[in-house]
Structures are given as C-alpha cells and as structure tokens.
Amino acid sequence: MVPGRHLLRGVRMSGESFRVDLRGIVDILSHHLYSSPRVYLRELIQNARDAVVARSESDPSAPREIAIEIEDGGAVLVRDSGIGLTEEEMRSVLATIGASSKRSDFTRVRRQYLGQFGIGLLSCFLIADRIEVRSRSARSADAPTLSWVGNSDGTFTITSAQTPLPDAGTEVRVQARADDREWVEPVRVQLLAERFASLLELPITLRTGAHAQSEIVSTRTPPWRGSGLEATAWCHRELGFAPLAVLPIDVPTAGVVGVAFISDSPGRVGNRHGDTVYSHGMFVADDNVQLAPNWAYFVRLAVEGGDLALTASRESLQDSPAIGDVKAQIGTQLRQGIEHFALSDPVGFDRFMDVHAKGILAMAAGDDDMLDLVIGHVPWETSEGTMTLAQILRLSDDVRYTTSMTDFTAFAPLLRAKRSLLVNGSYVYGSEILRKVRERRGHTARVRAFDPHAFLDSLPEPREGGAEARGFEVHARAVLERLGVDLDLRAFAPASTPSLFVAAGDDHLSQLADDGAEADPWAGLLSEPEASPARPRLVMNVTSDAVRSLVHVRDERVRAEAISGLYVIGLLRAGQTLDERHGELLSSTLHTLITAAGGGE
C-alpha cells in the first residue's frame, strides 16, 4: 500500500478524464480572452509562420512561403511550406487543448516562436463550425498527406487526404458561418492580413479571389529600420500624424527595439495614447501602455517586443519584472533623446515646446524626471528676457519669482534696473514648478518668492522738500483719495517709470509660504502677522521728469488731471484692465492737458 493513500475496502476505483465542452471553451475565448473574432486570421498566420521557422531550423534551404486565399462561398485558406504534422502530432497538437509542439520539439529555438499556448486554432471556431487541415510532415521524404477535420461540437477525424500536397507543409481551410461572413470578406481579410503581418520577414501572399492577382502583404520595412523619412511616413500612415521628432529606442538585453514619435498636437496631459507593439514582426497591439513612462504622454512608441513574453491572447505583454526594467530604460532613452533633439534641432525643438510646454509643466509638477526636462529646456519670461531655469540659475544667485502677471509686468523694469532677476511664474503650474525647484538641495537660498510690498518698502523715500513739494504731496493724496487709492512717494530707477500701481490683497502671501518654511516655527504663534495694505496704492517715482514737473505746476486743475493721468498710466503698466470710468479719466486728462498746452480755458 502506498503511504498516505487511503482506499475504501471493497470499492472499485477507476481512472477517468475530464470532459471538455468545446462550445463552452470557444465561448470563453470569445468573451474573456480574445478582443475580437478577427484574431482567427492572426492565429492562422502565426501558426504558419512558426511552422516555417521550425522547418528552417532543420533544413535552412527549405522554402519559406505562406499564402492566403479567399474562396468563393466564404472560406479562407492559409497554406505554408513549414514543418508539417504527423498523425500523432495532429492528435497531440490539433486535438488537445493547451498543447503546443513548440513546448517540446523546438525548445532550443523557442524564443523565435510567436505561439506558446496551443489554443490558437480554436480561435477559428469564433467564426466557423468546421476547420479542415491538410498537412504533410517534413520529417520524412515519403510522409503521407493527412486530413484533419475538426468540428465545433468537439469531434474530429483524421484520414488520408484525397488530394496530397506536393511538398511538406500545412493548409488550413476555415469555412465561415453565414452570420460571420463579414470576417472573410476580401477587403476585411486584406486589411487584417496587412495589419497583422506587414512587418513579418517571411513573404506572405494574399489572393482575394479566384481571378485576382496575388500580392505580398508582409516584408515591409519596420519604422525602426528605415530612414527618418520612412519612419515619418510610417507614423503618418499608421498613427495619423506627422511627428515633430523621431527618437530611437533600443534595449538589447530584452531584444526590444523601436522608435518614439513625438506628437504634433498637445493631447491630454496624463492620458497616453497606446503604443504599437510587435512580437517577432507580428502585430500585437496598438493600445499598449506597458512600456512608456506616464510622463511621456506626448510620445507614441512603435516597438519590436523581442524577448518580452505575450499573454495567452497574444494581444498584450505579460506583466513581469522585465517589463519594469524595459520601461525604465525606455524612459531614460526618451529623456536622452529629447536632450539630443534640443541640441541638434533647435528650430524643431522650439516647435515641440510651443505644442507641449503646458503639458510638460503639468507633468513636472508631480514627476521629478519631467522636472529635469523643464529646468533644462522650458523657456520662462524674466526681467532679463526669455531663458530656461538652468540658464537663470547659472546667471544669478538671487532669483525671485512671482505668480502674479500684474506684479511681473509692474516690477520687472524696476528689478532689471537694480540688476536683479524676476521670473514670471504666473503661467499654469508655474508656481508649483518654481516651488519644486526651490525645494531642491542648493536652491533654497537662491530662489525666493517675490514680495511686492516688501520690495516697495525697501525703495528709498524722497528727501524732505520745500513748501512746493509738500503742497504737491497734499494735493496728490487728495486726488487719489477720491479714487480710493493711497499715495506712496519713492525714488527708484528707471526714471522712465513715473508711476506704479500696486493692487490691494494678499495674493503674494501664498507664494511666500515656502520662504517661511525655514523660519522659526513658533514665529507664527508668538507674533502678530504683518497686515497687508487695505487699499491699492499708487507709487510715484520722484526721479521721473513727469512727477518732478508736477511739483511746479500751479494750476491745481491741471495738476489734478495730470495726477489722474499718472494713475491711469500706473494701471496700464501693471496690466490692469481699464473700465469705463478709467476711460473717462484718461479722456478728461488729455482734454485738460491739451487745452492748457494751447493756452485755452
């Protein structure tokens, strides 16, 4: 008695096999494995290709041919010059679900095969109730031609073929059901054959009717093997756009090779279109999202999957540690490719930035890899002109940024005159990016949020003047009071800026929050926060000729109108939108000044 095995005394036990409901299996394939009945043609081409490769291993001089024909009456024939099948192999491969001749006979070249699951032929039952196979084995010169006929009810027969094949190989005939004839229509078969087999290196011919000429649907040049123009043409034909750039992809450790196309349209940030993946030249999918990093939303890959294993449906790649390694290497190569693109084609790279800058900023707000790209290549408006953050950090040890377009417009000339650098961070995601740059080691002391009120308070006040100056100040305050604006007299460069409007509010406080991160953590509890100005203010530059001239104007009406004009100029320089009231002020000012200049009343 075998230890651990318990038998019931007097009970007779029999060994039995599971029963398989083939129709149920086909239903499972249809609803849970394959995405569409169209895969039947891919499986037939794949099996034919594997058979040809297998024969070439034992006989390199053997013909390497696959032919597809469409018969009248709704049947498709796929004929190959491959290894063929013996009677025993027909039983073990064609009639055993889950079997595959690639598992044993051809293990040493297994990676050259596309199919490894032995269920491919069953996909034909998605459109047919009957599959006919004629095959002649290449293992012996006198091998007979055998006929295998399988039915969707799970039965099959093996007999000697009435019409022998002239040489080794296999012919599969699939007769579509009446309600599935659409899958064997000539136009559809041609589209599917070109889709699945266009990059296979074997010559595959297609004849769409008894009187039609055969045409080759394979042996096309993959985009990663052709010239740049050929890759661009492939992208336009297959993906529907003209790429801004074509970047090479090569991960030799996994046999992965391909190209990355940079899209010519912005797309949706964080929502990558799928990539096109092939396996040994056979089309796998055009919606794959396993190989490119999420930040590369503007990239579409076309790659040969090499040694990466396929799922049972062969419509995607198996998730594995190898996938993660390949994805990381592709991400590195994309960044390097973009760097090279920037250096080798500045004009093209400018187009790339015009299209994708906003999206790149959005991704960089949460991705450090993209942040490096932003620092090195995204242009920013500054008080010293347009430059990248890398250039900014090389140029200045004291970088200030503002997230207010109004503040940038108003203060950029002043900081330029003081030889300080102000960065316009008012763009979408600008503040997040600049804060992340500031948080990087070594940049905390160099990158600061700009505080307009503190900057104005640091400007020198004018020296105490005579009675005329004091009289002008009193008059100016009265005029601005009627406009709801405070007066602030300062002396600053450039003198060409006579006035500066500063809006009320605490907008600057949010961008200063990070600056306070390194301060005493108890300061906020132990001291009163400094109150921001309750009202907007007009800063008049006493070094400006226009302001200095007003001190000596004796006509109070003219002087009042001129002060109102300086207020409107301040609004314009700050980028404020003028309303109807401001338009009336400006019109009144011009009328008064023109009349005074002409000597009129």
Side-chain angles (χ1 to χ4, degrees), residues 141-190:
D142 59 349
T145 299
L146 301 175
S147 173
W148 180 94
V149 178
N151 302 292
S152 61
D153 61 4
T155 62
F156 69 92
T157 60
I158 299 177
T159 61
S160 295
Q162 294 182 356
T163 305
L165 295 175
D167 192 8
T170 300
E171 177 187 273
V172 181
R173 182 177 185 274
V174 178
Q175 176 69 53
R177 290 185 292 265
D179 55 350
D180 286 306
R181 289 284 182 87
E182 60 179 298
W183 297 106
V184 296
E185 290 293 330
V187 173
R188 173 160 287 188
V189 171
Q190 180 162 3

Side-chain angles (χ1 to χ4, degrees), residues 301-585:
L301 300 180
V303 296
E304 162 58 49
D307 297 334
L308 296 178
L310 302 178
T311 60
S313 69
R314 289 182 282 276
E315 294 182 293
S316 62
L317 301 170
Q318 289 185 26
D319 287 324
S320 65
I323 286 282
D325 294 340
V326 170
K327 184 175 183 177
Q329 292 191 54
I330 288 178
T332 298
Q333 292 181 19
L334 288 176
R335 288 193 296 273
Q336 293 172 345
I338 292 172
E339 295 281 351
H340 178 73
F341 179 32
L343 295 174
S344 62
D345 185 4
V347 175
F349 189 78
D350 286 344
R351 290 180 56 211
F352 164 67
M353 295 309 304
D354 287 342
V355 174
H356 296 293
K358 183 181 293 186
I360 290 174
L361 288 174
M363 295 300 292
D367 190 295
D368 287 341
D369 291 333
M370 285 297 286
L371 183 62
D372 290 333
L373 179 65
V374 166
I375 291 174
H377 298 291
V378 173
W380 296 74
E381 185 181 13
T382 78
S383 55
E384 296 293 338
T386 300
M387 60 184 76
T388 66
L389 289 175
Q391 293 170 325
I392 291 170
L393 293 171
R394 286 196 298 267
L395 180 66
S396 176
D397 289 330
D398 183 18
V399 179
R400 306 186 197 187
Y401 67 88
T402 176
T403 58
S404 166
M405 186 65 189
T406 298
D407 285 349
F408 179 80
T409 303
F411 289 97
L414 279 67
L415 271 81
R416 182 166 56 248
K418 292 173 68 69
R419 298 190 179 278
S420 295
L421 196 64
L422 181 64
V423 179
N424 182 8
S426 66
Y427 305 110
V428 178
Y429 302 106
S431 60
E432 291 91 336
I433 298 300
L434 290 165
R435 286 169 185 163
K436 286 178 70 71
V437 171
R438 185 183 183 279
E439 291 167 0
R440 286 204 165 186
R441 182 176 298 178
H443 295 338
T444 302
R446 301 177 59 192
V447 181
R448 297 182 294 158
F450 175 68
D451 181 353
H453 299 292
F455 176 79
L456 288 174
D457 291 341
S458 70
L459 296 176
E461 296 181 349
R463 296 177 181 177
E464 186 175 349
E468 284 185 333
R470 289 194 296 273
F472 163 74
E473 182 176 354
V474 171
H475 190 198
R477 288 189 186 280
V479 172
L480 294 176
E481 179 65 30
R482 293 195 295 270
L483 298 173
V485 178
D486 290 334
L487 173 66
D488 192 356
L489 294 177
R490 299 283 173 170
F492 57 86
S496 58
T497 301
S499 60
L500 193 65
F501 176 82
V502 182
D506 299 329
D507 292 344
H508 69 289
L509 295 180
S510 61
Q511 68 185 35
L512 295 175
D514 287 342
D515 283 348
E518 297 174 358
D520 182 358
W522 296 99
L525 297 175
L526 301 179
S527 62
E528 291 293 330
E530 183 179 351
S532 62
R535 298 199 309 175
R537 54 175 163 167
L538 186 70
V539 181
M540 287 192 180
N541 184 5
V542 298
T543 68
S544 165
D545 290 340
V547 175
R548 293 170 64 183
S549 297
L550 281 178
V551 174
H552 306 293
V553 174
R554 299 187 180 280
D555 188 325
E556 291 190 359
R557 180 168 176 269
V558 172
R559 187 160 62 180
E561 291 290 354
I563 292 170
S564 297
L566 289 175
Y567 164 66
V568 175
I569 290 174
L571 290 174
L572 292 172
R573 294 188 69 91
Q576 297 285 331
T577 301
L578 301 187
D579 57 24
E580 184 177 354
R581 181 174 64 101
H582 298 136
E584 292 174 353
L585 273 177

Side-chain angles (χ1 to χ4, degrees), residues 26 29 34 40 43-44 46-47 85 90 93-95 117-126 131-133 148 150 170 172-174 314:
V26 171
L29 296 180
Y34 294 125
Y40 85 91
E43 297 290 350
L44 291 176
Q46 173 183 289
N47 288 342
L85 296 170
M90 281 186 167
V93 175
L94 301 184
F117 296 91
I119 59 176
L121 194 64
L122 288 181
S123 65
C124 295
F125 285 123
L126 297 176
I131 303 172
E132 300 174 17
V133 178
W148 180 94
T170 300
V172 181
R173 182 177 185 274
V174 178
R314 289 182 282 276

